[in-house]
Structure formats: structure tokens, C-alpha cells
Amino acid sequence: MPGKGAPRSLSGLAPFLRPYRLQIVLAGVFLVLAALTTLLFPLALRKLIDGGLVSADPGQQAMGLREHFLALFGVAVALGLFSAARFYTVSWLGERVTADLRNAVYSHVLRQSPRFFETTQTGEVLSRITGDTMLVQTVVGSSLSMGLRNAVMGLGALAMLVWTNPYVMGQVLLILVLIVLPSMAFGRRVRRLSRASQDRVADSSAIAAEVLNAIPVVQSYTAEARESQRFNASTDSAFRTAVRRTKARSVLVAFIIIATSAALLWGLYEGTQAVLRGDISAGHLGQTVVYVIILASAAAVLGEVYGDLLRAAGATERLMELLGAESDIRSPAAPRQLPAVKDGSSIRFESVRFHYPSRPDTPALRDIDLEVRPGETVALVGSSGAGKSTVLQLLLRYYDPQQGRILIDGVPIGELALDDLRAHIGLVPQDAVIFSASALENIRYGCPGASEEAVREAARAAFADDFLSALPEGYGTFLGERGVRLSGGQRQRIAIARAILKNAPLLLLDEATSALDAQSERMVQAALDSAMENRTTLVIAHRLATVQKADRIVVLDHGGIVEQGTHASLVAQGGVYARLAALQFSA
């Protein structure tokens, strides 16, 4: 991760700039040419004054003025062309680098394990991807170029002033050095406040994302006023931090401009005295005046740019923190391949013990030994918190167990590439996820290259074809954010169709029928029975009526397996399952 110094934190952008070395060189060439062209103006002005105005012959004076003004116009044309080329090249570079950075951060976050999202709010991630990258774009595509251009002009003007007025400008240069040192020290405070300001804005974004994703609950509890007040408090905190940053930056800019202008005006005063003494010409003084103006303007712009660099440094730190986050779940360097199977995959848990990172003292699974044969349907039942969903999360390798191992078709899942492992598994979660896309694309999410007919066939198997065909635009109907246009049962059937289309050897059903009414449940259960043929299936269910036909029922309690067998055998045992069955079926 970059160092915590001032704009040095921008060094994290180097890998994103490196692929565009040619564009950077071109931008640098145009930048230098534009700056040098600007520095030609004072020289042309000196010749205009000394050669075109001082001449005694009116004819020669008119001809001289015409030539000098044409020269000035030529300089202006060159400046316009070079500036336009610099602006285009630098703007392109800023847009391209920002897009690459945003893509890299987003792709990296997508590959983080659930442990990352236990401690990082989604709204904060979005704030970094959008707000922080915009600050970086401002610097790369504008401020940095302006800073370099003004630095070249300022140094050029200073060099010319020192060359033409060495004694006076040598003293001014010493004063400028004394100005720069405290400016850099004060700039560190501005950078810290910039980072704090961006953190507060991210807090507001996190609150907004959380609440907007839970609007029905917020409104059902009439909590709109409370949530507005919470958001207002967060934005007020961001405002106060931003004001402190702005005050500090304003003081920095004012100090740089006033101190620099005072030093340069003193040098200019000395120049006027030299004209009065006859030491230099009027054209020489005019040249000096313009160079002083260029140097003063450059110092003012550099003060502004330095503030922008400090803000971008804070933004870059935050982005590099995301890019530097290492997922604890990674593919092995030399992954193994799963054997081809026809009738589903085998699963084996060997002495698996696991606790969630956020609850290290509470085991979610305790010494689990479980074997599932190819093509077998095994139901996991038990009270809430017994460890059922944890079994599925470990199979998908969202987490790794602290003890023991899990094998699919005899291969430890830690030795498989994550993409290969998860491509081998179809999942129907309890909370069906619907994307902001058409019904067709939502089902095709399970197999992006599937034909439209294959999608319709999967929908028919999930008993979703009838209601999808009845939508205004059929399968092409946009379903709204999180599927707000659909009922819970309809969303679940789309999720089931998605898993059917994926056609993976191993199927995981996490309360797949929990959101369905009795009629829909019977239809979907029939579809699931068909989908489970020739594949291994793990089913989580609280409603025991949906798992009575399972080949085997495994009962979990407090993270351990306490019973397993068929529905009839477990009822006959009179244990935990029998008590759960008595409660449900008697009700």
C-alpha cells in the first residue's frame, strides 16, 4: 500500500498509467510546447516595444509593428494548437485510467469472500468506486496537467527572470524556497482532512444504500423520519469535515498567493528602479512584467493543484486499500480437475469443524462426518442456527473450515479452482435474487450462452412459463430492481429455472419453496423432483412435508449431526426429528 505521505500516495496509480506510456509522452510533449510557446510572448513583447515603438522613422515603425504583431499572432496560433492537443490527450488519459481503475476495483471486490463483506459496507464500496475515482479522474485528466504546465511555465519564467535580472531574482528565488517549505508542511494537514472528508461521505452513502434496499421495512415501521434524521446527521458530519478541509486549503492557497506575489512585486519594484536609472530598457521592463505575471499566475494555479493532489491522494489511498484487500478464499496455484460424472457427484465431509470469523468462540459446525452418494437426495433439517446453511456455504467454498476437509468426487475442494468448483454446483437460495434485467436474461444468468428455447424449457420445468408469457413483453419484460414487479413465489420460480438451466451435477436447495403458496409449492416441487434426477441434491427445509421423500434426512442440532435416516425411521426413533415432525404435522 502507498505511503501515507502527501501526494506520494498517488504512486498507487502507476500500474494504471503504465500501459499508456505513449499517450503520456505525447501529453508531455504538447504540454512542454504549450508552456514554451507561452514563454515566447514576453520576448516578442520586448521586441515590439524596443523595435517597433521606439524607432524614430514612422515608415520603419509601421513596418516593424506589422511584423511584430504577426509574430505575436503566430505565437498565439501555436499556443492554441498545442493547448488543444494537450487538453485532448490528457482528458482521454484521465477518462481511460479512471475507467480501468473503476473496473479493477469492482472486479477485485467481486472476488472477495463473504468475510470481507462482514466488515465492509456495500455503500462504502460504492462510494469509493464512484466518488473516489472521480477525484482521481479530475487529477489525471485535468489538475495534474495544469500543474505540470504551470510548473514548466513558472520555472521557465523564473529562469528568464534570473537570467535577465540575476541579482534581484536570486533574492526572490530564496524567498520562494522559504515559502514552499511551510506550504508542504501545512499540506499534510489538508491531506488528512481530505481523507476524513471522503470517509464521512462514504458513511452517508452506506446509510443510503442500506435504507434504500429495505424501503418496505422502513415504511412499514413508519421510520422515514428517523432514517432521514440519521442520514442528515451523517451528511452534517461530512459537511463539517469538508468545511475544516476547505478552511485549511483556503489558508494554504492564500498564503502561497500572497507570499509569492509579495516577493515578485518586490522584484518588479527593483526592475522599475533599474529603468529609471537607465540600467535596462522599457522593453526589458515589459518583458520582466509579463514574466512576473506568468510566474505569479503559475504559483497561484500550483497552489490550487496542490490542494487537488492532496484530495486525490486521500481518494487513491482508499482505492488502494480495496485493491490491496486479499481474499482468504483463493484458487490453488495448480488446481486439480473434477472427473466427468453422469449421475451426480459424491460429497464427503471428514471431521469438519467451522466457526464464522465474526464469532470465533461459537462453532457453527462441530466434527461433521457426512457422505452423500452420487444421485442421492439428502435433506438437512433442524432448528434455526443448527448449521444447515453453513454446510452449503462450505460446499461453495465461501469459507474454509478450520478443521477437516470436504471432498467432491474424491477431490478436496480446496484443490479445485473456484470457478470450476462453483460451475459444478447449482444453487437455489432462500431469498431469490432478481437482477435489473429482462426475465430472459435473469434465467440465462445460469448459463449465459443458452438459447432462448433452452431458457423457455427451463422456465416450463420450473412452472414459470405461464406467468412469464403473460407479462406485457413476455420473456423480454424488464422485471425491475430486485424483481419488484413479481410476487415472492414468481421470483423463486425464476431462481429455480436459472438453476435448472445451469444443469450442474450437484444441486443445492436452500428453502427453495419457502416463498410459495400451497398450489405453487406442489407445482415447483414436481419441477424440483424432475430437476433432481441424475444429480446429487442437498435440500434445506424447515417444512418437513417437503422432504419426506428424500433418500435420507440428516438432522443437525447446535452444529452437529444428531440423527440421520428416512422420514419413517426417524419418526420411529422418537428423537429430535420426531419432535419437530410432531410439532409441524399436529399443527
Side-chain angles (χ1 to χ4, degrees):
M1 193 178 146
K4 294 285 185 180
R8 287 196 302 273
S9 300
L10 292 169
S11 61
L13 298 177
F16 298 94
L17 292 167
R18 202 169 292 126
Y20 307 108
R21 288 186 288 268
L22 175 60
Q23 287 84 353
I24 293 172
V25 170
L26 283 175
V29 169
F30 293 135
L31 183 149
V32 171
L33 289 174
L36 293 178
T37 305
T38 303
L39 293 173
L40 289 177
F41 266 108
L43 294 175
L45 180 65
R46 178 178 179 178
K47 290 183 178 180
L48 173 64
I49 295 173
D50 289 343
L53 295 177
V54 178
S55 175
D57 187 337
Q60 291 182 351
Q61 189 178 49
M63 290 295 295
L65 283 173
R66 187 178 299 119
E67 292 175 0
H68 288 304
F69 274 110
L70 284 174
L72 281 171
F73 179 70
V75 173
V77 170
L79 177 61
L81 293 176
F82 292 143
S83 297
R86 173 195 63 83
F87 176 78
Y88 174 80
T89 308
V90 170
S91 297
W92 183 93
L93 189 64
E95 295 286 353
R96 183 66 266 168
V97 169
T98 302
D100 291 348
L101 180 60
R102 190 176 287 131
N103 291 340
V105 172
Y106 184 69
S107 298
H108 189 72
V109 169
L110 286 182
R111 296 192 175 275
Q112 295 302 306
S113 69
R115 182 174 186 171
F116 172 85
F117 296 98
E118 288 180 14
T119 56
T120 306
Q121 292 178 298
T122 304
E124 182 178 348
V125 174
L126 294 176
S127 173
R128 297 192 189 194
I129 291 176
T130 54
D132 289 356
T133 52
M134 287 301 294
L135 284 175
V136 171
Q137 179 182 345
T138 300
V139 167
V140 176
S142 175
S143 297
L144 191 59
S145 169
M146 288 177 55
L148 292 173
R149 178 172 174 268
N150 280 276
V152 172
M153 290 196 307
L155 290 173
L158 186 61
M160 292 299 295
L161 288 169
V162 171
W163 179 52
T164 55
N165 303 278
Y167 175 71
V168 174
M169 293 312 299
Q171 300 176 50
V172 173
L173 182 60
L174 179 61
I175 296 172
L176 290 177
V177 171
L178 296 176
I179 292 171
V180 169
L181 293 178
S183 299
M184 294 181 64
F186 195 73
R188 283 194 287 271
R189 171 174 168 77
V190 176
R191 186 199 63 80
R192 288 194 298 270
L193 289 171
S194 297
R195 170 65 192 260
S197 176
Q198 287 149 224
D199 286 340
R200 299 294 77 73
V201 171
D203 292 341
S204 298
S205 299
I207 291 173
E210 179 183 43
V211 172
L212 292 177
N213 283 327
I215 279 293
V217 176
V218 172
Q219 293 178 344
S220 70
Y221 283 92
T222 62
E224 296 93 335
R226 277 182 286 154
E227 292 299 346
S228 294
Q229 186 177 3
R230 188 160 69 105
F231 185 77
N232 290 345
S234 179
T235 53
D236 284 345
S237 175
F239 170 74
R240 289 192 297 272
T241 306
V243 167
R244 290 201 303 273
R245 170 183 57 79
T246 305
K247 284 181 181 178
R249 183 173 172 181
S250 300
V251 171
L252 176 64
V253 171
F255 172 74
I256 291 175
I257 292 176
I258 293 172
T260 304
S261 299
L264 294 176
L265 286 172
W266 180 80
L268 187 57
Y269 171 77
E270 290 294 320
T272 59
Q273 296 303 306
V275 172
L276 295 176
R277 291 193 302 268
D279 295 339
I280 61 175
S281 67
H284 190 154
L285 177 61
Q287 171 186 302
T288 301
V289 169
V290 178
Y291 277 132
V292 167
I293 292 172
I294 291 175
L295 183 54
S297 300
V301 172
L302 287 172
E304 286 286 334
V305 168
Y306 188 59
D308 288 339
L309 290 178
L310 293 172
R311 290 193 70 196
T316 303
E317 282 182 7
R318 286 158 47 86
L319 290 167
M320 292 305 113
E321 283 177 3
L322 283 183
L323 285 174
E326 291 289 342
S327 176
D328 53 329
I329 304 297
R330 293 187 293 272
S331 296
R336 294 176 58 181
Q337 298 292 321
L338 282 167
V341 294
K342 293 183 179 180
D343 299 324
S345 293
S346 65
I347 305 169
R348 190 162 76 247
F349 283 69
E350 295 181 348
S351 303
V352 171
R353 187 177 183 87
F354 172 74
H355 59 253
Y356 287 99
S358 57
R359 303 188 299 274
D361 298 326
T362 306
L365 292 179
R366 296 180 291 106
D367 302 321
I368 295 294
D369 286 292
L370 176 66
E371 186 162 359
V372 181
R373 296 182 296 275
E376 187 178 16
T377 297
V378 173
L380 304 177
V381 301
S383 58
S384 297
K388 305 182 297 297
S389 295
T390 303
V391 170
L392 303 193
Q393 291 181 351
L394 292 182
L395 262 176
L396 286 160
R397 210 175 162 224
Y398 294 157
Y399 300 92
D400 281 334
Q402 283 80 31
Q403 178 182 308
R405 61 178 188 163
I406 304 168
L407 300 91
I408 294 180
D409 295 324
V411 181
I413 62 173
E415 298 179 12
L416 297 171
L418 285 174
D419 289 349
D420 292 344
L421 168 66
R422 292 167 183 171
H424 201 73
I425 300 173
L427 173 67
V428 181
Q430 180 177 1
D431 185 13
V433 174
I434 303 297
F435 298 96
S436 298
S438 67
L440 182 74
E441 291 305 317
N442 264 283
I443 297 175
R444 192 179 273 160
Y445 200 83
C447 183
S451 66
E452 185 171 344
E453 180 53 37
V455 171
R456 290 180 179 272
E457 185 178 343
R460 285 192 288 270
F463 291 89
D465 181 66
D466 289 345
F467 78 83
L468 290 177
S469 299
L471 292 173
E473 298 175 36
Y475 280 73
T477 303
F478 177 71
L479 299 181
E481 187 175 4
R482 303 191 312 279
V484 293
R485 298 184 178 184
L486 304 177
S487 68
Q490 290 172 332
R491 290 197 296 270
Q492 196 69 315
R493 277 182 273 174
I494 288 178
I496 292 169
R498 185 186 296 156
I500 291 174
L501 183 64
K502 186 176 182 180
N503 195 29
L506 178 56
L507 184 61
L508 308 181
L509 307 176
D510 188 357
E511 292 285 350
T513 61
S514 63
L516 306 180
D517 55 47
Q519 181 179 358
S520 298
E521 182 178 341
R522 283 194 295 271
M523 294 179 359
V524 173
Q525 193 61 52
L528 289 174
D529 290 342
S530 173
M532 288 187 289
E533 291 181 3
N534 300 322
R535 56 173 56 89
T536 306
T537 308
L538 281 183
V539 184
I540 292 178
H542 283 107
R543 286 189 285 188
L544 303 184
T546 62
V547 297
Q548 291 185 59
K549 296 180 181 179
D551 298 321
R552 185 158 38 113
I553 297 172
V554 175
V555 183
L556 293 169
D557 188 40
H558 293 91
I561 296 177
V562 293
E563 297 172 353
Q564 51 182 313
T566 63
H567 171 74
S569 66
L570 290 174
V571 169
Q573 286 181 26
V576 175
Y577 182 84
R579 290 194 296 274
L580 291 173
L583 286 171
Q584 290 193 23
F585 295 132
S586 62

